[in-house]
Amino acid sequence: SLAWTLKAWCALLVPISPRWADKHNGERRLMLRMEFRTFRQAFIEIPCQIVKGARQVRWRILAWNPWLGLFFRLDAAL
């Protein structure tokens, strides 16, 4: 139940820009319908390298998946 709630809240918090409203609404619907296993692989298990230096923390994404655009929009919203 908690996993489903996490997935649903993430989908509902994704911002939708007016210019790309059709595409963003479609992505939101797909995210709401996806199974938690797929959600975990697309949004939680993203391989990345964390680099600390010059008083900053940077993430380097090491693999690409089709959900990264949605992931970064959600990250910017949070």
Side-chain angles (χ1 to χ4, degrees):
S1 173
L2 181 61
W4 179 85
T5 305
L6 174 70
K7 180 185 70 81
W9 274 105
C10 285
L12 294 173
L13 289 174
V14 172
I16 296 175
S17 67
R19 182 177 180 186
W20 303 100
D22 293 336
K23 180 184 175 190
H24 291 176
N25 281 326
E27 288 175 343
R28 177 182 277 181
R29 275 186 261 115
L30 284 174
M31 190 173 172
L32 278 169
R33 285 191 221 145
M34 76 171 51
E35 295 179 5
F36 185 72
R37 179 186 301 171
T38 309
F39 174 78
R40 188 183 68 218
Q41 290 174 350
F43 292 95
I44 296 174
E45 296 178 355
I46 298 174
C48 68
Q49 178 182 20
I50 299 175
V51 180
K52 294 181 183 180
R55 298 183 205 159
Q56 294 179 349
V57 177
R58 296 177 188 234
W59 300 359
R60 290 184 184 164
I61 303 295
L62 301 177
W64 180 87
N65 70 34
W67 293 99
L68 282 179
L70 185 65
F71 174 77
F72 287 125
R73 278 196 333 220
L74 179 62
D75 182 46
L78 297 176

